Amino acid sequence: MQFGIFSVGDVTPDPTTGRTPTERERIKAMVAIALKAEEVGLDVFATGEHHNPPFVPSSPTTMLGYVAARTERLILSTATTLITTNDPVKIAEDFAMLQHLADGRVDLMLGRGNTGPVYPWFGQDIRQGINLAVENYALLHRLWREDVVDWEGTFRTPLQGFTATPRPLDGVPPFVWHGSIRSPEIAEQAAFYGDGFFHNNIFWPADHTKRMVELYRERYAHYGHGTPEQAIVGLGGHVFMRKNAQDAVREFRPYFDVAPVYGHGPSLEDFMEQTPLTVGSPQQVIEKTLAFRDYAGDYQRQLFLIDHAGLPLKTVLEQIDLLGEEVVPVLRKEFAVDRPADVPDAPTHPARLARARW
């Protein structure tokens, strides 16, 4: 099972000091977080994609290419690649290039994003969001698997005899996760192609996540890719830790209250009760994360959001230390207990290459 960090890259004032980091500081902080993730033995770093304030990661492949040059083992991913407003030709070429630079340590998570105005900025209509996701991925899937593509659709100009360059490393495209919070159509899309399904899992209650994951697993089996238990599932989660749980709650509360994604709503206590958010001791994070398996089954990837809402970099790096030293080693051991032998491991480039050659 893979464990890692995902960042949405928000530039948010620290509510305890009033200071707002510069865009440069925030970008550099995301790089430092990725390097720290590798240092402590985590498996994955993923960055979001946004094109509006207060977020900075508008060019994920640029950032991940820079991180690739400074790491050796870390899998580099996106927490969202906007399949609706990016040209699938550009996605195909950008991520194949990144694959070569990172020696295969690359995958990506496709999504529609959560910012409505981005659609007209890139010449699209938000009312066509699902249709764009379906059509654009159908083209992307072919561009990575066919050397010469003839194609005609609704949302972009036709292609005639087109070859995306460079070709995927070793002839194996980057693994694709389809990310969704609430859209069953995206779970269906992931199942149809036999790709991974990633549920963000930081907002919604367990019963909603359970329904989405079960739908994906059932449809994965329906399309003949394997049993429902063999479907490839990833989950998000949001944590904040201190050795003492009361210290964690006291320190995190002002950040939670003004967080741009979920602040100004329910209390911290209510939100923790109703969603996967865990603010407390490392042991509490372990216990709540292990409980994800109760409603999602045996899954392959767990990513944590830890740098949201204006938390200073020093604090975030302390969180990663706690993950690497106290939380993830226990989770690796406990998630392996009674894991059925036919449940696949998380996909990696070497494993997928070996399978393709076999």
Side-chain angles (χ1 to χ4, degrees):
M1 187 167 173
Q2 294 171 346
F3 294 91
I5 301 297
F6 75 99
S7 175
V8 296
D10 59 304
V11 179
T12 305
D14 184 330
T16 68
T17 66
R19 185 181 183 279
T20 303
T22 66
E23 290 180 325
R24 179 182 184 277
E25 288 173 333
R26 189 66 175 98
I27 291 167
K28 293 288 190 177
M30 292 176 69
V31 172
I33 289 165
L35 300 183
K36 186 69 169 180
E38 173 157 288
E39 177 189 322
V40 303
L42 302 185
D43 305 302
V44 184
F45 171 77
T47 172
E49 178 188 347
H50 296 277
H51 299 275
N52 58 291
F55 304 98
V56 292
S58 59
S59 181
T61 52
T62 303
M63 172 172 285
L64 294 179
Y66 182 78
V67 173
R70 302 185 62 185
T71 55
E72 297 180 355
R73 186 187 53 81
L74 198 65
I75 295 172
L76 308 172
S77 185
T78 52
T80 304
T81 293
L82 299 177
I83 188 62
T84 47
T85 52
N86 281 305
D87 183 355
V89 172
K90 195 72 170 78
I91 295 176
E93 296 188 333
D94 282 353
F95 280 89
M97 176 68 78
L98 182 58
Q99 249 198 329
H100 286 271
L101 291 171
D103 298 323
R105 295 183 288 122
V106 173
D107 56 36
L108 69 161
M109 188 190 307
L110 300 179
R112 291 182 293 142
N114 60 6
T115 308
V118 73
Y119 284 80
W121 295 342
F122 290 88
Q124 301 295 349
D125 183 343
I126 192 173
R127 294 170 295 183
Q128 296 294 332
I130 291 291
N131 293 331
L132 280 160
V134 171
E135 180 177 297
N136 283 353
Y137 184 60
L139 175 55
L140 175 61
H141 191 268
R142 288 185 59 191
L143 289 169
W144 275 336
R145 289 163 175 82
E146 301 175 26
D147 289 340
V148 180
V149 173
D150 295 316
W151 181 89
E152 185 171 351
T154 302
F155 299 109
R156 76 173 316 281
T157 54
L159 298 173
Q160 296 182 349
F162 179 77
T163 299
T165 59
R167 305 303 298 144
L169 178 65
D170 301 318
V172 177
F175 185 78
V176 170
W177 302 84
H178 298 259
S180 180
I181 299 174
R182 61 188 178 275
S183 301
E185 297 92 341
I186 301 304
E188 177 78 15
Q189 183 181 41
F192 176 80
Y193 288 100
D195 295 334
F197 178 67
F198 190 93
H199 194 277
N200 182 281
N201 204 39
I202 63 172
F203 300 114
W204 292 75
D207 59 345
H208 172 79
T209 302
K210 177 181 171 67
R211 287 194 300 271
M212 291 290 285
V213 172
E214 286 184 347
L215 171 63
Y216 161 67
R217 290 187 183 278
E218 291 167 3
R219 299 303 288 172
Y220 181 95
H222 169 79
Y223 289 115
H225 301 298
T227 66
E229 295 75 21
Q230 292 173 324
I232 308 298
V233 174
L235 296 179
H238 190 178
V239 301
F240 184 84
M241 296 172 285
R242 288 303 183 202
K243 297 287 187 179
N244 180 283
Q246 289 76 21
D247 291 340
V249 170
R250 183 174 57 254
E251 184 176 349
F252 188 68
R253 189 183 301 279
Y255 296 95
F256 173 87
D257 288 344
V258 300
V261 172
Y262 49 54
H264 311 286
S267 70
L268 175 58
E269 287 76 11
D270 287 344
F271 203 82
M272 283 196 288
E273 181 180 352
Q274 297 167 16
T275 77
L277 172 65
T278 312
V279 180
S281 67
Q283 183 59 36
Q284 288 173 312
V285 169
I286 289 168
E287 291 172 0
K288 193 161 187 178
T289 305
L290 288 173
F292 294 173
R293 186 166 55 177
D294 295 341
Y295 54 86
D298 286 286
Y299 60 109
Q300 283 74 23
R301 176 175 286 186
Q302 175 65 56
L303 300 184
F304 294 104
L305 175 63
I306 58 167
D307 69 331
H308 180 48
L311 286 167
L313 178 59
K314 177 179 180 295
T315 301
V316 174
L317 297 181
E318 291 167 352
Q319 298 296 302
I320 299 175
D321 277 329
L322 288 170
L323 281 175
E325 294 169 5
E326 300 192 30
V327 174
V328 168
V330 177
L331 292 177
R332 288 193 197 280
K333 180 180 177 181
E334 293 298 321
F335 272 120
V337 174
D338 297 327
R339 187 178 180 92
D342 61 343
V343 172
D345 293 333
T348 64
H349 183 79
R352 297 177 68 231
L353 176 58
R355 182 178 177 181
R357 287 175 173 170
W358 183 83

